[in-house]
Amino acid sequence: MPPATPRDRTAKARAHLRELARKLVDEGVPGVVVRVDDGHGRPIEISEQAAWTKKDHRLRADDEVREASNTKTVMATLVLQLVAEHRLALADPVDKWLPGEVRNGRAITLRMLLNHTSGLFDYTEDPALAPALTGWDSHVWTSTEILDLVNGHPALFEPGTEWSYSNTNYIAIGAVLEKATGKTLAALVRDRITEPLRLHHTFYATGSAWHDRHAHGYEPDAAHMPAGVPEEFRHYAGPQHDDHVDVTGDYVTAAGADAAIVSTAADWSRFYNALMSGRLLSAAQLAEMRTTVPESGPEDPDELGYGLGIETAKTSCGTVWDHVGVVPGYATYNVTDSTGRRTASFYFTTSTLTKEAHRTGAALMDAVHCAMFD
């Protein structure tokens, strides 16, 4: 039998990815988008959605979505650009820029915020934020208010001694960026990232408005929310139908520098390409971004590592750099190789998955990694 051609391998990968996307829809995910660019030829683009969602929107692979915590990669990029300009330093204590606003601010450096070794409590775990995170609270929480709330919680550990993912770190980073530049985060993202790269569907959201075609996001209604979800996160604001709440129009009024960016799979591919190829950062700053700390402790240093706003993992098909994002209505995953030539994304139009969908989602992640390197 003759060896498989690149076209044959692409067709096989596309069929497998579509099969997994359809399985996820069967397992309760309202919509799935997959995009894989192996650096050779036309990218694979797939969209699948549940029949009941089509009355709201016909899902396409180029729809805008809320990128959630993928925002952190952009914020880290902005910080490193300012470091290269000698306007910030990774060793700066937080108190230099936000005096008295952050617990242990003299001991916590900007690097510790960026790589989640600060020990700060994650503000999203405070029940006071539940109304903002579920669309019921119209008050837009400022970084000062969030940091003040977090100061009421004890530190998780001494700064720099352990690793623990905390959205609070990037709330503080956002405040530092605005203090250091005198510009809003929306303006910094526009001027330094989206306009230079011509990312026409990427922006820092300051409200519920979208710029163009966008995927509708959903959460199960209270009666169909999986068991084990805390009571304060069982009720979302928005129109209800087909056992779900349409949260597309909700604006998470407490998410800022940690989760506010909207984008598309194709735009994010261009961003990763520019980032990893050195168009956005010098070699020295990119090396800082890719200097990681182990997420599972020093006994397991090679599996998952977190750098500055980006994660690395060793997969069965190659080493990747990635980030995951979750906000109401959207779960996002973006991944690249070390050069930025190979990129991939998959997006779910919900943040709530069944156990079966979690397993299939893990299989999709593996398939995406291997399709990138095929």
Side-chain angles (χ1 to χ4, degrees):
M1 175 179 277
T5 66
R7 180 176 295 181
D8 292 336
R9 290 195 296 271
T10 298
K12 184 177 180 181
R14 180 184 289 107
H16 184 44
L17 292 168
R18 187 172 293 281
E19 177 186 7
L20 290 170
R22 287 174 175 166
K23 187 177 182 185
L24 280 160
V25 171
D26 291 340
E27 292 168 344
V29 178
V32 179
V33 165
V34 182
R35 186 183 193 275
V36 179
D37 188 345
D38 66 2
H40 305 285
R42 189 170 182 173
I44 296 170
E45 293 185 330
I46 293 166
S47 62
E48 294 286 341
Q49 68 186 122
W52 60 266
T53 68
K54 293 179 181 179
K55 68 186 76 172
D56 295 327
H57 174 68
R58 294 280 180 161
L59 187 64
R60 290 196 330 207
D62 60 351
D63 284 342
E64 293 175 355
V65 299
R66 300 198 186 281
E67 290 287 356
S69 283
N70 288 280
T71 300
K72 294 177 174 67
T73 312
V74 175
M75 293 298 118
T77 301
L78 294 173
V79 169
L80 287 165
Q81 288 179 343
L82 293 177
V83 169
E85 297 166 13
H86 305 290
R87 299 169 69 180
L88 292 174
L90 293 175
D92 283 348
V94 182
D95 258 12
K96 177 178 179 179
W97 298 100
L98 307 175
E101 290 191 45
V102 176
R103 175 188 288 273
N104 291 337
R106 293 182 180 178
I108 295 172
T109 64
L110 299 190
R111 183 188 296 276
M112 292 175 191
L113 294 176
L114 291 166
N115 68 11
H116 297 294
T117 59
S118 70
L120 291 174
F121 173 83
D122 188 342
Y123 80 92
T124 64
E125 296 183 12
D126 190 307
L129 271 298
L133 299 176
T134 53
W136 295 105
D137 183 5
S138 61
H139 169 70
V140 178
W141 287 69
T142 66
S143 60
T144 299
E145 290 171 329
I146 291 174
L147 294 174
D148 185 58
L149 185 74
V150 168
N151 286 338
H153 293 271
L156 303 179
F157 47 80
E158 287 298 311
T161 62
E162 299 181 41
W163 185 89
S164 182
Y165 190 92
S166 174
N167 290 285
T168 304
N169 290 319
Y170 279 77
I171 294 297
I173 282 293
V176 170
L177 283 166
E178 291 189 330
K179 190 75 169 289
T181 64
K183 294 185 177 182
T184 66
L185 294 176
L188 287 170
V189 170
R190 181 194 66 221
D191 296 345
R192 289 175 171 264
I193 306 292
T194 63
E195 286 194 351
L197 298 182
R198 298 182 181 179
L199 305 181
H200 300 303
H201 300 284
T202 303
F203 60 96
Y204 184 95
T206 57
S208 60
W210 300 79
H211 284 187
D212 210 329
R213 281 184 55 95
H214 52 274
H216 276 238
Y218 304 89
E219 295 298 336
D221 62 25
H224 296 87
M225 188 66 70
V229 175
E231 181 62 27
E232 61 267 27
F233 289 102
R234 301 183 68 85
H235 304 267
Y236 283 86
Q240 297 190 35
H241 65 81
D242 296 278
D243 303 333
H244 285 77
V245 181
D246 185 340
V247 299
T248 310
D250 290 358
Y251 172 55
V252 180
T253 56
D258 58 328
I261 285 183
V262 169
S263 189
T264 65
D267 265 14
W268 211 268
S269 175
R270 293 181 66 183
F271 167 67
Y272 266 164
N273 178 269
L275 178 63
M276 291 295 174
S277 66
R279 289 174 59 196
L280 291 174
L281 297 176
S282 68
Q285 305 312 321
L286 188 57
E288 293 283 12
M289 174 174 271
R290 297 198 294 208
T291 299
T292 63
V293 293
E295 297 182 18
S296 301
E299 69 281 358
D300 187 21
D302 295 326
E303 292 305 312
L304 290 175
Y306 201 93
L308 306 186
I310 199 165
E311 180 183 62
T312 188
K314 291 184 177 179
T315 78
S316 60
C317 292
T319 298
V320 299
W321 293 89
D322 64 69
H323 214 291
V324 174
V326 179
V327 290
Y330 305 90
T332 60
Y333 177 71
N334 294 304
V335 58
T336 180
D337 69 354
S338 62
T339 69
R341 288 192 292 269
R342 300 180 179 93
T343 61
S345 301
F346 65 76
Y347 303 151
F348 302 157
T349 58
T350 186
S351 68
T352 305
L353 304 182
T354 62
K355 290 181 180 179
E356 294 79 11
H358 270 292
R359 287 194 291 268
T360 304
L364 177 61
M365 182 179 288
D366 289 340
V368 159
H369 293 156
C370 291
M372 275 176 55
F373 290 103
D374 195 355

